Amino acid sequence: MTEAWHPVAASSDLPLRHTFHGQLLGRELAIWRADGGFVNVWENRCLHRGVRLSIGLNDGRELQCQYHGWRYASRTAGCTYIPAHPADAPARTICNRSFLAFERYGLVWTGESPAGELPTVEVLEAADPFGLRNLPVNASAELVIEMLHGHGFQPNAKLDNFGAEIAVQSYGEHCRVLSAMAGGSTTTVVFFVQPVDASRSVIRPVMVGVPEPLVQTDVLRHHNAKLTELRDRIESEAARLPALQPLSAAIEQVPIHLSEVPIGAIGRRKAPLRVQVARKWQTATDIVAIEFESIDGQLPTFQPGAHIDVHLPNGLVRQYSLTNGPGELTHYRVGVKLEAESRGGSASLHETVREGDVVAISEPRNNFPLRRDSLRTVLIAGGIGVTPLLAMAQALHHNDLRYELHYFARADDHVAFRTILDELGDSTQAHLGLSPGGTAAELERILDQPGHAEHVYVCGPGPMLEATRRIAADRGWPDEAVHFEYFQNATEIDDTTSFEINLARSALTLRVGSGETILEVLHQHGVSLGSSCEQGACGTCSVAVLDGEPLHQDVYLSEAERELGDQMMVCVSRTNGKSLTLDI
Amino acid sequence: MTTATGHAVCTDPAILNQWYAVAAIPEISVAQVHRTRLLDSSVAYSVTADGECLAWRTAPNDATVTVDASSQLDWLPTRTAFGYLWMSVGEPPPDVFEVQESAEPDRRTLNAATIGIAVSAPRAIENFLDMAHFPYVHPHMLGEEPHTEVADYTTELRNGELWAVDCRFYQPKAAVSSTEGVMAEYLYRVPSPYCAMLYKSSPGDAERMDVIGIFVHPISEEFVRANLFLCLLDDVSSDTTIRRFQQTIFSQDKPILENQYPKRLPLDPRAETPIRADKMAIAYRRWLTDLGVTYGVIPA
């Protein structure tokens, strides 16, 4: 029976935002319709603490468990949000058990593991179905089916008579088609029998053809009375038979990796926003564009150059610059390049994340602010490094400020976000397929003449960044006029030293051994500190240094900041001395 | 083991050899026989006119109306502690666990509620040990969206008891006498498998903690009567106000507990999915496993 399709609810049992409690073969089901019409049939049990989901809240897109507010997405039954840990993106694999579901003949059909297509009943294909009263019966489905063979009713045109001739046809194990014939009129009713438990069933009768509106009430009354008689006969027969053991529906075990309490997320970045992937498309070779829309309320304001942390389903956190133009706050748009040597970040966004998914992101933060008091702004982009510069270019464009955007890319099909570039018009220039030497020559040309109150913003791969900074310096651009953002730290990190750290505020002294980072040691000892890229590029784990000489290995701090020596990025930086005193 | 009527009774020594609070003494009418079940055994108790507490095993349909201590009955051990009559159908330790605060003269102690719940005792205890449900099950009382985060806390074993320390949770109205939201601090303590205490920052006294206990009286594996014990620093609110607040809380938990499936607590780690906030629940399940508990649970 587990391979068969069974009706478990009437479509009318699923009004807007309702959750219906159903049962099939001893297994309880939570059945609900999302606002888009999709019908979900789930095991009636939140896999967190076993609370029935049929008492949960259907918000039209998700079902929320009443106990701890866990939210589960329509269609997938995957957990999208765990309120007790608002900064964590729930593991994608936290998923309630769901079953295939279809609506046909005004009924919702499902099965434990149905084999094949949902079968059709020919008579119902030929005419409109008209659902009669669904009748729960305390008897096995087998007994109900057997006793349907003695059921009788009148054709719709002869309701006042009695003694109609009944023809019964079998349609599989749990369906009987009864036709009542009298005085040249025939009415056919298809009786589906839902096996609820060993000794409980629901008869779901569907009439073939909708009766004339004037007689509909009489037809329903007639069948109501006949079905009640049928139930009484079946139940008195069932009472004579030996009682059956209730069926026990096995509860599946949760996957092993979900059975343990996850390791603490101390110091992980806060991701206060939940957004939905509204659109995802290929914008260039190896680059997808993703638009995130807010689930509840307005997305926070961003500045050109800002990035968001995206908490990926696989637990990684990655930073992506916003490409939005000014005032464009209905969504956040990012571009993601599939890195050949992806540690799982870009691959996850390329392959796993789909439109409709809910993702945890941080509020936008800006480590790459755009001055708008320049007389000329030169934006230099390499590859995917174009993303923050697109936001800047749109802001400058909109404000009628003088700027130029130089976009270095491997080839024409590697140029992303053409729609935005087209809107920017003549101020953008693509430089395609240049060798490192060719790029340097082009940069020499672009940066040839530094002017008063002019600024350069550059974002791209490490070597190009280095080249730009060097050329700019050679050409006389002052250090503070050249702004750059690394998206990764290409420096080879030396982690061989070992030393002590004194935490001034926590009154703790900890040892950092070779092969460990300061950040890891802090986390091991329960010291909470935010971190993000963990490769010295994002600036999140910056800590004030009170004493000792840091060995900077990050790419976040500028030369001037490094020389001051009063802060360090504890994810990569260390000391060659014996100890450091940190303001933690 | 079964009784004469064929009814299965508890044979789990970890559960059998414990004290259970079956009634609040001020609520017991004197010199009358009160019948109940404890761990599926039929039992009766009475408080004599002299204040003596008696308890004995009965046949399921026993209808004795009066009793005196000299009669030949199957006597059961009793204790009185924190205003409750405790009894055992096994071989319990000499005394009921201690609650030091109950001896402090400036505290109010009372039974806030005794409520029947169609759930196993350990599910009821686990609910009592849980903070994450406050904003959803007790909105505007013990929690409030969007303050849903459960900060990291620590669980530990202390002298054979299970503790959770350094627990904090936002509460819009931490007790009857609270008027505004606070980060309430909690300590949880499980002195015996079916009893739990919580110590919570008192709105009435910044230095001390209010004490709330749940003493579960297991009728059967899937039905309990839960006694809610209060030992508060509150000289403002009336008993009725205090009871109403706690009874409202209880009435909010009851439908959730009665909709948990299965009713017995599964000890298999793969039965349900924990998160960090569930550390205490996980520690409790492991502790029950280590104690060898089989009654009211689905053993791993």
Side-chain angles (χ1 to χ4, degrees), chain A residues 33-46:
Chain A
R33 189 192 297 279
D35 284 359
F38 187 87
V39 174
N40 293 278
V41 177
W42 295 356
E43 174 122 60
N44 191 17
R45 194 171 171 272
C46 171

Side-chain angles (χ1 to χ4, degrees), chain B residues 76-99:
Chain B
L76 293 171
T78 61
R79 292 288 183 277
T80 57
F82 335 124
Y84 291 90
L85 168 61
W86 298 73
M87 68 161 82
S88 176
V89 287
E91 290 165 16
D95 289 302
V96 177
F97 55 85
E98 264 190 60
V99 178

Side-chain angles (χ1 to χ4, degrees), chain A residues 77-340:
Chain A
C79 182
T80 58
Y81 187 51
I82 297 176
H85 300 301
D88 302 358
R92 167 175 289 277
T93 45
I94 295 186
C95 198
N96 281 306
R97 189 163 178 203
S98 60
F99 302 96
L100 280 179
F102 283 101
E103 282 183 283
R104 188 172 284 173
Y105 315 134
L107 298 173
V108 175
W109 297 78
T110 192
E112 191 112 321
S113 43
E117 300 269 302
L118 173 59
T120 54
V121 178
E122 286 88 354
V123 283
L124 283 171
E125 295 295 313
D128 286 337
F130 181 67
L132 302 177
R133 174 192 178 189
N134 294 305
L135 191 78
V137 185
N138 286 312
S140 69
E142 291 67 31
L143 182 64
V144 172
I145 285 288
E146 189 186 315
M147 296 196 63
L148 271 171
H149 284 262
H151 183 56
F153 53 91
Q154 289 297 116
N156 291 350
K158 305 284 178 193
L159 285 181
D160 295 336
N161 301 10
F162 52 89
E165 195 182 321
I166 305 290
V168 185
Q169 254 186 302
S170 296
Y171 262 86
E173 210 179 336
H174 291 108
C175 174
R176 293 294 177 268
V177 180
L178 274 66
S179 295
M181 291 158 283
S185 310
T186 304
T187 296
T188 300
V189 178
V190 181
F191 293 85
F192 298 107
V193 180
Q194 170 191 354
V196 172
D197 206 329
S199 53
R200 289 194 293 139
S201 310
V202 179
I203 304 175
R204 299 192 176 275
V206 180
M207 183 171 282
V208 176
V210 180
E212 292 300 315
L214 276 176
V215 300
Q216 273 185 12
T217 312
D218 291 334
V219 167
L220 288 169
R221 277 208 190 105
H222 173 74
H223 283 274
N224 195 25
K226 290 291 177 189
L227 285 163
T228 304
E229 286 170 24
L230 173 65
R231 177 171 64 188
D232 291 348
R233 282 190 290 119
I234 297 172
E235 289 188 346
S236 59
E237 181 62 24
R240 276 202 288 275
L241 299 171
L244 299 167
Q245 278 294 319
L247 299 174
S248 65
I251 299 171
E252 286 187 343
Q253 289 192 314
V254 300
I256 193 87
H257 67 278
L258 296 181
S259 65
E260 293 291 322
V261 176
I263 328 154
I266 291 169
R268 276 181 49 186
R269 281 284 276 282
K270 296 281 181 247
L273 301 179
R274 293 293 173 281
V275 291
Q276 196 158 27
V277 177
R279 228 179 121 211
K280 175 178 166 181
W281 72 98
Q282 198 78 33
T283 177
T285 301
D286 288 341
I287 299 176
V288 288
I290 298 178
E291 280 182 8
F292 298 113
E293 278 182 7
S294 169
I295 292 174
D296 43 5
Q298 182 57 57
L299 292 170
T301 318
F302 67 93
Q303 301 159 353
H307 69 266
I308 52 172
D309 291 346
V310 180
H311 292 240
L312 299 168
N314 56 14
L316 293 174
V317 180
R318 288 291 178 267
Q319 290 75 46
Y320 296 101
S321 298
L322 300 180
T323 64
N324 296 50
E328 206 181 1
L329 264 176
T330 53
H331 60 267
Y332 290 149
R333 183 178 49 239
V334 300
V336 182
K337 172 145 192 257
L338 180 63
E339 298 296 342

Side-chain angles (χ1 to χ4, degrees), chain A residues 45 48 68 83 88 253-254, chain B residues 130 148 261 268 270 276 278:
Chain A
R45 194 171 171 272
H48 175 220
H68 296 98
D88 302 358
Q253 289 192 314
V254 300
Chain B
D130 179 76
T148 58
Y261 180 79
D268 179 353
R270 291 185 59 187
R276 293 198 311 285
D278 298 320

